[in-house]
Amino acid sequence: MTWTVRVDTGLCMGSGICAGTAPEVFALEDERARPRTERVAAHERVLEAADMCPAQAITVHDGAAVIAPRPD
């Protein structure tokens, strides 16, 4: 199973939490996060990175459904 990961660069504040949580998925570039690839293997760390983003700039999609960030 794979998911689609998106980072809204307009919202991203470059905290690096995502890259620290899931470095195989996220990288910092020009003080903003970006996914290393758009499609990623389904893994709890990807959801955690989206949940922990202080700017809520990361969304994880399973098909058409947004599955992260998850509600508190």
Side-chain angles (χ1 to χ4, degrees):
M1 173 186 298
T2 61
W3 294 332
T4 303
V5 177
R6 297 191 180 110
V7 176
D8 183 329
T9 56
L11 293 175
C12 178
M13 52 194 262
S15 72
I17 292 172
C18 57
T21 302
E24 68 283 1
V25 176
F26 299 98
L28 289 180
E29 184 175 286
D30 298 326
E31 299 182 11
R32 298 289 185 258
R34 67 166 180 80
R36 292 183 183 274
T37 62
E38 185 176 300
R39 303 286 298 167
V40 300
H43 196 284
E44 179 66 21
R45 281 189 310 224
V46 178
L47 301 176
E48 290 172 0
D51 292 342
M52 291 189 294
C53 177
Q56 295 188 336
I58 299 169
T59 53
V60 182
H61 305 257
D62 185 4
V66 175
I67 59 172
R70 298 172 282 195
D72 293 334

